[in-house]
Amino acid sequence: MQTASKKVITGWAFFDWANSVYNLVITTTFFPIYFAAVTKKHFGSENIPFLGRTFINSSLYDYSLAAAYLLIALAYPILTSIADTRGNKKNFMRVFCYMGAAGCSLLFTFTGSNLGWGILFFILASLGYSGSLVFYNAYLPEIAAPADRDKVSAKGYAYGYIGSVLLQIIGFILVLTIKDDPFLGPRLTFLLVGLWWAGFAQLTFRALPRPNKPPKSNVNVFSAGFIEIKKVYGEVRKMTVLKRFLRGFFFYSMGVQTVMLAATLFGSKLLGLEDTKLIVTVVLIQLVAIAGATWMSRLSAKYGNIRVLMGVVLFWIIICISAYITAGMAEPLKPYHDSIDLLRQEKAAFQTRRAQAAAKDSTAVVNALDAAEGKIEAELSRVSVTLGPKQAPIEYSFYILALAVGLVMGGIQSLSRSTYSKLMPETKDTASYFSYYDLTEKIAIVIGMFTFGLLEELTGSMKNSVLFLILFFAIGLIWLYSALVKMSEKRVTLKI
């Protein structure tokens, strides 16, 4: 086959530009920080009630994301069956795109008091994002020849990082300029994410070719989808290299996706970093990731996909060990951060009382409140000055970790996707094969995020959750090595 025209390839890549703002702004940066802050403010604690039980707010966030990915994993077989038998792959891509965009924009209404609605909109956005990707990924083998798939896949991720960084910067400006309400900037950013996603996706929908309409079928799409997945599973089991690669992908995806989805919560809650510093750091990560995806594509052309993936997974293990050590350094400083949070709350309360007193009380009352606020401000300054030198090494360690994550974050996703497209057999049933691939990844996210949240609740520290991720990466590395051995035994000539 021949690679499609530049117009089609660019149009395909623009969907990454459109929907990656969800991945960066909603799940990576603004929303995790916002969710933890707004629920803590409303309930007065990190322990919040939901559905008759009390959760740590960050663990509830992890569980909500795991629930969203579980739902989409269950729906995948049905959706791909409909797309394959009805020939409306692009239409379903549209439906999920608009669903996700609507969920993002509706998060503007989430203020902490409506916790159930906030979680529902968050899940809706996640469903839309994940659902649209299965049809988006299925287009890759249809528009790119095997020799060009690494390059085309990397182009999609590069477009995604550039687009998401642009909107991230806009959101950052909103947060910095809107001083009166610290929560309004993020809420406006959520609204913009939905508009951006739905708007730029139109370029993709115009450029992508319409699939050939298959003959009419009386197939039951609800059962056929699961039959197709079972068939793909049966075929994959006979492919010794592909099945080992997928097993490795399953385990290292548990680690990769969890790190990316929980990184800002780790920096905010465990390391005590300021929100603005976290946002700037994530922007820098995206910029590094653009170069990382391109660099890894070139390395794979020289050394082969599997070898490069093994090196990257080993690098992720080093990142997790370093993060655990950094978290250990940060734990003794938690009393300082708690004291600063309490003093800031007291200061805000005095400012509110002073504003009320200025309108109806005597000058003496106002002066007394000013004096009390001054004492709080002095104590806040003292604690901050004491904390500063102790916090600095932790901040610098986090920045180094973040840049390391950025270097391999986009590359491992791009390279995994293109490796799978190379290893899968020649088939017109690309949607079912990529549904199986995405199903593997989504189940990995469910297990990874649920485990991460559960361990935090059981042990009382996110630090232990980070340490446990090393096990997932190690198992993934073993399976990748096994795939490489089988390739050598079979004398596979394809450069993977």
Side-chain angles (χ1 to χ4, degrees), residues 202-426:
Q202 303 311 309
L203 298 175
T204 302
F205 299 144
R206 290 175 186 173
L208 287 179
R210 182 180 292 274
N212 295 325
K213 189 172 183 179
K216 289 187 177 180
S217 173
N218 295 321
V219 171
N220 184 326
V221 294
F222 294 98
S223 60
F226 291 96
I227 292 172
E228 279 296 306
I229 290 295
K230 184 178 179 180
K231 184 185 78 172
V232 172
Y233 171 72
E235 293 174 358
V236 167
R237 286 187 63 187
K238 299 174 185 176
M239 303 173 194
T240 54
V241 177
L242 180 57
K243 74 177 180 182
R244 283 167 171 78
F245 164 74
L246 274 176
R247 289 169 184 172
F249 170 74
F250 176 70
F251 281 100
Y252 71 67
S253 288
M254 290 184 197
V256 170
Q257 297 295 334
T258 303
V259 169
M260 293 193 298
L261 293 170
T264 48
L265 283 175
F266 173 80
S268 177
K269 285 193 64 177
L270 199 57
L271 305 186
L273 300 181
E274 295 177 9
D275 295 350
T276 52
K277 291 180 179 179
L278 285 170
I279 294 170
V280 170
T281 302
V282 172
V283 171
L284 293 176
I285 288 174
Q286 305 309 307
L287 296 175
V288 173
I290 296 170
T294 305
W295 169 67
M296 206 170 292
S297 175
R298 292 175 181 173
L299 281 179
S300 67
K302 184 175 182 179
Y303 299 105
N305 292 26
I306 301 293
R307 287 183 177 86
V308 173
L309 283 171
M310 288 175 62
V312 172
V313 170
L314 186 61
F315 192 70
W316 277 101
I317 292 175
I318 296 172
I319 288 173
C320 287
I321 294 171
S322 302
Y324 178 80
I325 295 171
T326 302
M329 293 165 55
E331 276 188 332
L333 304 183
K334 191 174 187 305
Y336 290 96
H337 293 294
D338 291 342
S339 178
I340 288 173
D341 287 342
L342 182 60
L343 288 168
R344 284 174 176 168
Q345 291 174 17
E346 291 178 357
K347 180 182 175 181
F350 269 101
Q351 288 174 339
T352 301
R353 289 173 59 188
R354 187 194 181 285
Q356 295 171 347
K360 59 181 180 180
D361 291 330
S362 65
T363 304
V365 173
V366 173
N367 290 339
L369 290 172
D370 283 342
E373 184 183 340
K375 291 180 181 179
I376 293 174
E377 184 65 41
E379 179 64 12
L380 182 59
S381 177
R382 185 193 67 79
V383 176
S384 299
V385 168
T386 304
L387 175 64
K390 302 175 186 293
Q391 180 72 4
I394 294 168
E395 285 191 17
Y396 295 138
S397 297
F398 179 76
Y399 298 149
I400 294 171
L401 283 171
L403 291 176
V405 168
L407 190 64
V408 293
M409 179 177 67
I412 195 169
Q413 295 177 90
S414 174
L415 196 57
S416 296
R417 180 167 65 180
S418 61
T419 301
Y420 180 75
S421 69
K422 286 180 178 181
L423 287 172
M424 62 185 276
E426 289 287 339

Side-chain angles (χ1 to χ4, degrees), residues 18-344:
N19 74 354
S20 290
V21 294
Y22 157 84
N23 211 19
L24 177 61
V25 176
I26 302 299
T27 61
T28 305
T29 313
F30 285 92
F31 190 70
I33 299 171
Y34 177 82
F35 184 89
V38 80
T39 51
K40 183 177 180 180
K41 180 185 177 184
H42 178 73
F43 294 101
S45 170
E46 292 181 350
N47 299 309
I48 60 176
F50 184 66
L51 297 179
R53 196 197 142 186
T54 300
F55 295 87
I56 298 175
N57 55 4
S58 53
S59 291
L60 181 58
Y61 173 86
D62 295 338
Y63 296 151
S64 299
L65 199 55
Y69 279 103
L70 178 61
L71 289 174
I72 197 64
L74 294 173
Y76 261 5
I78 299 172
L79 297 175
T80 51
S81 175
I82 294 172
D84 287 340
T85 59
R86 302 297 185 267
N88 49 5
K89 188 183 303 180
K90 189 191 293 187
N91 289 340
F92 272 86
M93 193 170 163
R94 278 195 185 98
V95 168
F96 279 95
C97 168
Y98 298 145
M99 178 194 297
C104 291
S105 292
L106 286 169
L107 286 173
F108 174 81
T109 65
F110 175 48
T111 59
S113 59
N114 51 345
L115 179 59
W117 285 108
I119 290 176
L120 177 63
F121 297 148
F122 177 51
I123 290 177
L124 189 68
S126 302
L127 289 173
Y129 174 76
S130 302
S132 63
L133 277 185
V134 68
F135 302 103
Y136 170 67
N137 286 336
Y139 265 106
L140 181 60
E142 295 184 9
I143 64 174
D148 294 327
R149 286 175 192 169
D150 285 354
K151 183 171 67 175
V152 172
S153 181
K155 181 176 182 178
Y157 276 103
Y159 270 50
Y161 288 126
I162 294 170
S164 57
V165 165
L166 288 176
L167 189 57
Q168 178 89 332
I169 292 172
I170 294 171
F172 184 55
I173 292 171
L174 288 173
V175 170
L176 289 179
T177 54
I178 301 175
K179 301 286 188 181
D180 296 337
D181 182 355
F183 296 120
L184 182 57
R187 290 171 58 210
L188 288 172
T189 304
F190 303 152
L191 182 63
L192 286 176
V193 167
L195 297 175
W196 178 288
W197 186 355
F200 280 108
Q202 303 311 309
L203 298 175
T204 302
F205 299 144
R206 290 175 186 173
L208 287 179
R210 182 180 292 274
N212 295 325
K213 189 172 183 179
K216 289 187 177 180
S217 173
N218 295 321
V219 171
N220 184 326
V221 294
F222 294 98
S223 60
F226 291 96
I227 292 172
E228 279 296 306
I229 290 295
K230 184 178 179 180
K231 184 185 78 172
V232 172
Y233 171 72
E235 293 174 358
V236 167
R237 286 187 63 187
K238 299 174 185 176
M239 303 173 194
T240 54
V241 177
L242 180 57
K243 74 177 180 182
R244 283 167 171 78
F245 164 74
L246 274 176
R247 289 169 184 172
F249 170 74
F250 176 70
F251 281 100
Y252 71 67
S253 288
M254 290 184 197
V256 170
Q257 297 295 334
T258 303
V259 169
M260 293 193 298
L261 293 170
T264 48
L265 283 175
F266 173 80
S268 177
K269 285 193 64 177
L270 199 57
L271 305 186
L273 300 181
E274 295 177 9
D275 295 350
T276 52
K277 291 180 179 179
L278 285 170
I279 294 170
V280 170
T281 302
V282 172
V283 171
L284 293 176
I285 288 174
Q286 305 309 307
L287 296 175
V288 173
I290 296 170
T294 305
W295 169 67
M296 206 170 292
S297 175
R298 292 175 181 173
L299 281 179
S300 67
K302 184 175 182 179
Y303 299 105
N305 292 26
I306 301 293
R307 287 183 177 86
V308 173
L309 283 171
M310 288 175 62
V312 172
V313 170
L314 186 61
F315 192 70
W316 277 101
I317 292 175
I318 296 172
I319 288 173
C320 287
I321 294 171
S322 302
Y324 178 80
I325 295 171
T326 302
M329 293 165 55
E331 276 188 332
L333 304 183
K334 191 174 187 305
Y336 290 96
H337 293 294
D338 291 342
S339 178
I340 288 173
D341 287 342
L342 182 60
L343 288 168
R344 284 174 176 168

